[in-house]
Amino acid sequence: MWINLLVLVLLAAVYWVRQRFAYWKQRSVPYIRPSFPQGNLAGVGKKSHMSEILQNCYQQLKGSSKPYGGIYFFINPVALLIDPELIKLVLVKDFPYFHDRNLYHNDRDDPLSRHLVAMEGTKWRNLRAKLTPTFTSGKMKLMFSTVTAVAEEFDKCMTEEIRHSSVVEMKDLLARFTTDVIGSVAFGLECNSLKDPDAKFRVMGRKVFQGSRYRALKVFLATQFPQIARAFHVTLTPPDITDFFMGVVKDTIEFRRSNNVQRNDFMTLLMKVLKEQVESGAVEGDQKDHLTMDDIAAQAFVFFLAGFETSSTAMSFCLYELALHQELQNKARQNITEVLKKYDTISYEAVHEMKYIEMCINESLRKYPPATTLSRRVEKDYRVPGTDQVLEKGITVTIPVYALHHDPDQYPNPERYDPERFSVEQSETRHPFVFLPFGEGPRICIGLRFGMMQARIGLVYLLKHFRFTLATDKMSVPLKISPSSSILTIEGGLWLNVEKL
C-alpha cells in the first residue's frame, strides 16, 4: 500500500513539474526549453554569473516577434522582457501592476531584511516618500564636504601604499574608501577602514558580499519559494551581522538623543521620522505602516551596503578601463585640470562640471552594471499592449540589464569601452530604457545621486594625483567576473601599477 502511495505521489509530482515547464508553451509565448531542477539557470553561481545566463536567453529570444519571452527560474515561469517600450511600461507607465520587487524578506526572523529595497505595498510607498528628501541635490551639497574629507584621507592612504609597493590591489582599497564615506554619512561614525583594513565596519561589509555557490543557491531558492522559506525560518543575514548593525544603530540613536546631536545625514532623517510618529500618538510598532527601531536599523543597513559596494565596484571597473586605455585616462585627467582652473578647490559645482568624468562612469556602468537584472512581480493580470498575451498575477518579470547594455543594436561594438557613447549627442539617439544601471520609475535607486557623487569625488582625487596602468602579471584581459557574487564584481581583485604625479 505504501509503495503504491509513494508511486502515486511521485507520478503526481512529475506531472506537476511537467505542467509547470509547459507554462509558456501552453500560452504560445516563445520560450527556452528548461531542464530539471534548475530550469534555465544551469551553472549559475558555479560556472556562470547570472548576467551571462540571462544574456544568452535574451539573445535567443530577441529574434521573435514578441516583446518578451519565457524562461524558468527552477520550476517557476519568468517573463524575460526584451522590448524597451515594454520595459518602460513595466517600470513607469503601468507601475501599479508591477510595484513590488520579487526579493525575499523575512520580517519575523531576519529584521535587517525589512529594508526599502525589499519592502512592498503601502509600507514601501510611505517610507519611500519619507526618505526621498534625504537624497535631493540640496542634501547632496550638504554632504559633499563629508565625502571630500574622507577623499583627502584616501589620497594620503594611496601615497602611503605606493611607498611600500607600486603595485596596489585597488578593489579593496576603494571599498575601504566608500565604507568610510557611508559610515560617516549614514551613521555619523568614523569607520577608520582606510587606516585599518580589518576595521569592524569593513569586516562586516566584506562578509555580506562574500560569494559562495551555497549562498547564491540559498538566495535563489528563498526568492523563488518565499512562503516555504519563511515557514522554515530561512534567513539570509548572518546572525553576527544582524547583531552588529542592530547594536550600532541603537547605540547611535541613544547617543544622539542623550547629547542632542544634529547632523546632515541619513540617521538624523530616520530619527526625525521616528519622532514624528511618536508625537502623532502612534505607539511604536502598533500600525503596519509605522517604522520600528528594527526598521530604522534595516534602512541604515541597506544604505550602508548599497552605498559602499556598488560605488566601489563602479570605480573599480572605471579604473580598470582607464588603466587599459591610457589615452582615455589622459583625457579624463585633462577634464579635471581644465575645470579646476576655473575653481580654487574641488567643490560640488566643480565636480558636476566635469562631464567627461561622468561619461567615463556611465560607460563603466553600461559595460559592468553592478545590478545586472531588475525583477518585478505582477500584482494583477496585465494584458501586454499590442498583443493578446496576459502576464498573470504572481508571475515574475525580469529585465536583463546586462544583456540590454551589451546589445550591439543599441551599443555598436558593445565590448569596447567608449565614454563618448554618453555624450549628449549620442545619448539622444538611444532609447532611454536601454541604460538602466540604477533602475527607473518610482523604484529607481533612491541613492542614485549620492552614489554618483561619491564615485565622481573618488575618481577625481585619484586621477588628479596618480597615474594607473595594469599590473599585467596579476590581471587578465578581459576581466574574470566572480560567478557566485550577487553583484558584478572582479574575480581576484584589481591589481594596478600606481604612480604619483
Side-chain angles (χ1 to χ4, degrees):
M1 179 184 169
W2 286 108
I3 293 174
N4 291 339
L5 185 61
L6 183 62
V7 169
L8 279 173
V9 169
L10 286 172
L11 287 172
V14 169
Y15 175 76
W16 181 70
V17 169
R18 283 187 170 175
Q19 285 299 106
R20 293 288 284 176
F21 280 166
Y23 183 90
W24 293 119
K25 186 178 181 181
Q26 289 169 355
R27 287 158 181 77
S28 301
V29 173
Y31 70 99
I32 297 172
R33 190 182 179 91
S35 59
F36 185 80
Q38 289 175 289
N40 298 116
L41 297 180
V44 72
K46 188 177 182 182
K47 294 178 181 176
S48 306
H49 190 269
M50 184 70 162
S51 59
E52 295 175 74
I53 288 172
L54 290 187
Q55 184 184 25
N56 185 38
C57 294
Y58 173 87
Q59 288 167 346
Q60 290 182 61
L61 293 166
K62 198 181 165 209
S64 73
S65 58
K66 304 282 185 183
Y68 70 96
I71 57 173
Y72 294 86
F73 289 178
F74 297 97
I75 57 171
N76 289 332
V78 172
L80 188 74
L81 306 192
I82 296 164
D83 178 30
E85 277 301 316
L86 179 57
I87 293 169
K88 181 180 178 180
L89 292 173
V90 166
L91 295 180
V92 183
K93 190 177 176 185
D94 294 328
F95 177 76
Y97 287 87
F98 308 93
H99 54 75
D100 291 335
R101 295 188 174 102
N102 200 35
L103 294 179
Y104 178 71
H105 57 95
N106 182 343
D107 295 3
R108 178 188 57 198
D109 304 301
D110 191 356
L112 291 186
S113 70
R114 287 153 53 166
H115 51 69
L116 192 67
V117 178
M119 208 175 266
E120 299 174 348
T122 54
K123 187 161 187 176
W124 164 77
R125 192 177 298 110
N126 292 341
L127 182 61
R128 174 86 186 203
K130 288 170 184 171
L131 296 187
T132 296
T134 320
F135 298 97
T136 59
S137 54
K139 286 289 196 299
M140 293 304 101
K141 205 168 181 179
L142 290 172
M143 293 178 189
F144 188 85
S145 60
T146 304
V147 183
T148 53
V150 179
E152 294 284 353
E153 285 299 315
F154 188 27
D155 189 55
K156 292 174 190 171
C157 180
M158 281 293 301
T159 303
E160 191 61 33
E161 284 282 332
I162 60 176
R163 279 203 188 106
H164 300 105
S165 171
S166 61
V167 179
V168 180
E169 200 288 283
M170 290 298 301
K171 183 168 167 276
D172 184 64
L173 206 55
L174 287 163
R176 284 157 58 191
F177 162 63
T178 55
T179 295
D180 283 0
V181 169
I182 297 294
S184 182
V185 169
F187 298 93
L189 300 173
E190 287 187 24
C191 299
N192 288 320
S193 64
L194 278 170
K195 294 174 182 172
D196 177 13
D198 295 318
K200 194 72 172 174
F201 264 92
R202 178 69 194 118
V203 169
M204 289 298 170
R206 194 187 294 127
K207 187 170 182 179
V208 175
F209 287 97
Q210 274 174 349
S212 72
R213 190 162 183 255
Y214 166 74
R215 180 173 166 75
L217 191 61
K218 185 181 177 184
V219 171
F220 267 123
L221 287 170
T223 302
Q224 295 307 304
F225 308 102
Q227 286 83 8
I228 296 171
R230 288 188 195 106
F232 281 92
H233 302 273
V234 172
T235 62
L236 300 181
T237 313
D240 57 339
I241 290 175
T242 298
D243 293 343
F244 173 73
F245 279 97
M246 286 288 189
V248 166
V249 169
K250 285 173 183 174
D251 290 349
T252 301
I253 288 175
E254 283 173 18
F255 178 81
R256 290 193 182 192
R257 281 175 174 168
S258 302
N259 297 278
N260 195 28
V261 175
Q262 296 294 321
R263 283 173 58 103
N264 289 311
D265 63 10
F266 189 62
M267 191 62 72
T268 296
L269 188 95
L270 290 171
M271 288 175 67
K272 186 181 173 189
V273 171
L274 209 57
K275 186 180 177 185
E276 286 170 354
Q277 285 178 182
V278 174
E279 289 174 351
S280 68
V283 179
E284 205 172 277
D286 71 339
Q287 290 187 33
K288 189 181 176 184
D289 295 335
H290 276 76
L291 279 187
T292 65
M293 188 65 84
D294 285 355
D295 290 326
I296 296 279
Q299 308 326 309
F301 172 68
V302 79
F303 179 48
F304 173 76
L305 292 189
F308 96 78
E309 186 67 15
T310 54
S311 291
S312 66
T313 300
M315 285 192 281
S316 294
F317 285 122
C318 192
L319 276 184
Y320 167 79
E321 290 289 353
L322 293 178
L324 201 58
H325 302 96
Q326 287 296 305
E327 73 284 2
L328 301 182
Q329 186 179 151
N330 291 336
K331 191 170 180 180
R333 192 173 290 111
Q334 186 183 351
N335 182 220
I336 295 166
T337 305
E338 286 175 356
V339 171
L340 289 180
K341 282 178 184 174
K342 182 178 169 184
Y343 297 87
D344 294 333
T345 184
I346 297 174
S347 64
Y348 180 84
E349 291 76 16
V351 166
H352 280 78
E353 209 170 295
M354 296 172 188
K355 296 302 179 187
Y356 193 75
I357 298 295
E358 184 178 351
M359 287 158 62
C360 288
I361 296 170
N362 280 336
E363 176 64 346
S364 298
L365 291 169
R366 194 259 329 155
K367 195 173 175 186
Y368 311 100
T372 62
T373 61
L374 301 171
S375 290
R376 297 288 187 269
R377 190 175 63 231
V378 183
E379 301 301 324
K380 48 188 174 179
D381 287 0
Y382 177 77
R383 183 171 292 279
V384 179
T387 75
D388 57 356
Q389 301 289 340
V390 172
L391 291 171
E392 295 176 330
K393 180 181 176 180
I395 286 287
T396 297
V397 297
T398 289
I399 299 161
V401 174
Y402 184 90
L404 287 165
H405 287 192
H406 288 254
D407 185 340
D409 290 339
Q410 308 293 347
Y411 298 96
N413 196 2
E415 296 310 315
R416 183 165 62 95
Y417 180 80
D418 179 13
E420 293 299 331
R421 296 183 203 273
F422 289 92
S423 64
V424 174
E425 298 75 23
Q426 287 200 40
S427 295
E428 285 176 349
T429 64
R430 277 192 307 273
H431 196 291
F433 282 75
V434 296
F435 182 62
L436 298 167
F438 299 100
E440 195 48 84
R443 287 202 87 136
I444 193 171
C445 172
I446 195 171
L448 156 62
R449 280 194 183 98
F450 183 82
M452 285 297 286
M453 181 177 79
Q454 185 178 214
R456 277 190 185 107
I457 293 169
L459 287 169
V460 167
Y461 271 83
L462 288 173
L463 293 171
K464 183 174 185 284
H465 298 130
F466 305 94
R467 184 181 307 282
F468 300 90
T469 55
L470 280 192
T472 50
D473 56 328
K474 292 192 173 188
M475 290 297 299
S476 61
V477 181
L479 279 177
K480 286 181 182 172
I481 299 298
S482 173
S484 59
S485 175
S486 55
I487 67 169
L488 210 64
T489 187
I490 304 168
E491 180 92 309
L494 173 63
W495 295 90
L496 300 179
N497 298 307
V498 185
E499 173 197 347
K500 179 89 171 170
L501 294 174

